[in-house]
Amino acid sequence: MMKLLSFLKNKALGSSIDYKILPRKVKFDWKDTPVDWIPNQPFASYFINEINNILPAGEFWFCRLYNKVLPQIKDEKLKQDVQAFIRQEAMHANAHTSANKEYLSARNIDIQRNLDIMNYLFTIALADKPFEKEVPQFLQGQWDLFRLGVIATVEHMTCVLGKYALYNERWEELGADPEMVDLVKWHGSEEIEHRTVAFDLYRHLGGGYIPRYYLSLAVIVLVLGLWVDGAAHIMKQDPRFADAAKSRFFPVWVAVEWYKISRKDNQVLPNPIWLIAQQIDYLMPWYDPVKEGSTEDAVSYLSQSPAAKRAELQAA
């Protein structure tokens, strides 16, 4: 109750965890990963592959903004959390970039259009100087806080997706490519491990309760829209989707198909309605990201991730 009252009063709080977040190096090998990395599931394979296009620009943006506000952090434990978060996010961005270059592009899938959209969003629209316009000095703190709120909202969503990936057994049952499964489970597990950091930092620097409502709405619309639009772009390059791709409403078809497939088997793809509903917890005044996942389960997977073990062997 005291924690809730402190938050509603906008009192600066620190780290909400007592464990140490551990950055890890990983190395993925994409030479044997097929385009349909989930056998007989081309739609789901492409749809999840689009995550590789969406994430790197945003994760590098997270790192830049967090490095900028790092001197403002007064709580030493939170500062350590943020520094570890930065290192983890940088590794996530590099891992997904490797999938883009060594997996998707290497299989003649044109992803540049999708990457350009994400780069524009994070290097132009949400930059320190949005659309190359100087933010007035008296508004710079609010602009940073708004962007920190965006990150906190996104990180709640990635934690939810991280839990979905970590506990998903259906992909392996269908014979999914182990390298791609490891990528999404490794990334998802680290999202669970550092699930408190973005929210802790947002409120530590003065983030309020009410903005979570409009930030959630904006982030949900933006993330799902980019995901569907980007997936449509890479799918339409595959002859198997040629008939549907002839329509100018192909992205709408992709969104409907996503819902249909997830309704039939929500372990192949997460249901979009379910994903939206997961934002409800984030909107509650008593929201606590610590309760959003199991650190023990996440760390257990990370300790035996093939990509992490491969990186350790190469380093040795």
Side-chain angles (χ1 to χ4, degrees):
M1 185 63 181
M2 291 302 296
K3 186 177 183 180
L4 172 59
L5 290 173
S6 295
F7 175 71
L8 292 175
K9 291 178 181 178
N10 213 32
K11 181 181 178 180
L13 300 174
S15 173
S16 59
I17 57 173
D18 56 8
Y19 61 86
K20 184 177 180 180
I21 298 169
L22 178 65
R24 301 166 186 83
K25 292 183 178 181
V26 288
K27 176 60 180 174
F28 293 94
D29 183 353
W30 300 112
K31 65 178 182 295
D32 296 324
T33 301
V35 172
D36 294 356
W37 63 273
I38 307 175
N40 303 312
Q41 295 283 347
F43 183 97
S45 297
Y46 273 114
F47 200 79
I48 298 175
N49 276 337
E50 173 56 21
I51 293 175
N52 293 307
N53 296 177
I54 291 174
L55 292 176
E59 289 170 323
F60 283 133
W61 174 72
F62 291 1
C63 296
R64 291 193 299 273
L65 182 55
Y66 275 20
N67 273 315
K68 179 184 178 183
V69 303
L70 198 62
Q72 302 176 38
I73 301 173
K74 306 304 180 184
D75 181 80
E76 189 59 36
K77 177 62 170 63
L78 179 57
K79 182 175 288 189
Q80 293 172 6
D81 294 346
V82 170
Q83 290 169 327
F85 177 99
I86 291 169
R87 292 175 62 191
Q88 285 193 339
E89 289 294 319
M91 185 57 65
H92 296 171
N94 287 328
H96 289 286
T97 297
S98 80
N100 285 331
K101 292 180 178 179
E102 301 165 26
Y103 169 51
L104 296 175
S105 294
R107 284 150 183 76
N108 299 313
I109 299 172
D110 179 15
I111 60 173
Q112 193 57 49
R113 174 260 193 193
N114 293 0
L115 297 181
D116 288 345
I117 290 173
M118 301 309 299
N119 284 329
Y120 181 85
L121 175 63
F122 291 108
T123 64
I124 303 297
L126 290 171
D128 290 345
K129 297 180 180 180
F131 305 104
E132 301 183 353
K133 303 294 183 181
E134 191 78 42
V135 176
Q137 184 69 33
F138 72 96
L139 290 177
Q140 286 184 6
Q142 288 304 309
W143 176 236
D144 287 347
L145 192 59
F146 168 78
R147 294 185 294 163
L148 291 172
V150 170
I151 296 175
T153 309
V154 170
E155 283 293 302
H156 172 70
M157 184 180 292
T158 55
C159 176
V160 168
L161 288 170
K163 290 189 294 181
Y164 174 86
L166 177 60
Y167 298 113
N168 190 311
E169 299 178 350
R170 183 65 172 148
W171 296 327
E172 289 98 323
E173 290 174 359
L174 293 171
D177 176 75
E179 207 71 10
M180 186 60 73
V181 170
D182 187 32
L183 173 65
V184 295
K185 286 182 178 286
W186 160 76
H187 188 163
S189 296
E190 288 204 338
E191 291 297 327
I192 295 171
E193 185 184 29
H194 71 219
R195 64 194 180 279
T196 62
V197 178
F199 186 69
D200 285 348
L201 179 59
Y202 174 63
R203 64 180 183 174
H204 180 72
L205 295 182
Y209 170 60
I210 299 301
R212 300 215 310 254
Y213 282 85
Y214 66 76
L215 287 170
S216 290
L217 178 61
V219 166
I220 281 287
V221 171
L222 186 63
V223 170
L224 299 190
L226 288 169
W227 198 351
V228 168
D229 177 73
H233 175 71
I234 58 177
M235 282 183 201
K236 71 181 182 182
Q237 300 174 49
D238 192 315
R240 291 174 293 181
F241 298 101
D243 290 341
K246 292 176 183 177
S247 170
R248 61 176 3 182
F249 300 109
F250 183 52
V252 177
W253 179 87
V254 170
V256 172
E257 194 69 10
W258 174 19
Y259 174 73
K260 288 180 178 178
I261 291 174
S262 65
R263 186 176 182 184
K264 182 179 180 181
D265 188 344
N266 62 14
Q267 288 296 293
V268 172
L269 285 175
N271 189 294
I273 305 297
W274 170 83
L275 190 56
I276 293 170
Q278 298 308 298
Q279 286 298 109
I280 295 174
D281 284 346
Y282 184 71
L283 299 178
M284 296 297 103
W286 49 82
Y287 169 72
D288 184 353
V290 172
K291 299 177 181 178
E292 287 294 321
S294 168
T295 306
E296 291 75 16
D297 290 348
V299 172
S300 177
Y301 180 83
L302 292 167
S303 68
Q304 51 89 37
S305 162
K309 288 186 174 181
R310 188 181 297 127
E312 288 179 3
L313 288 173
Q314 289 186 352

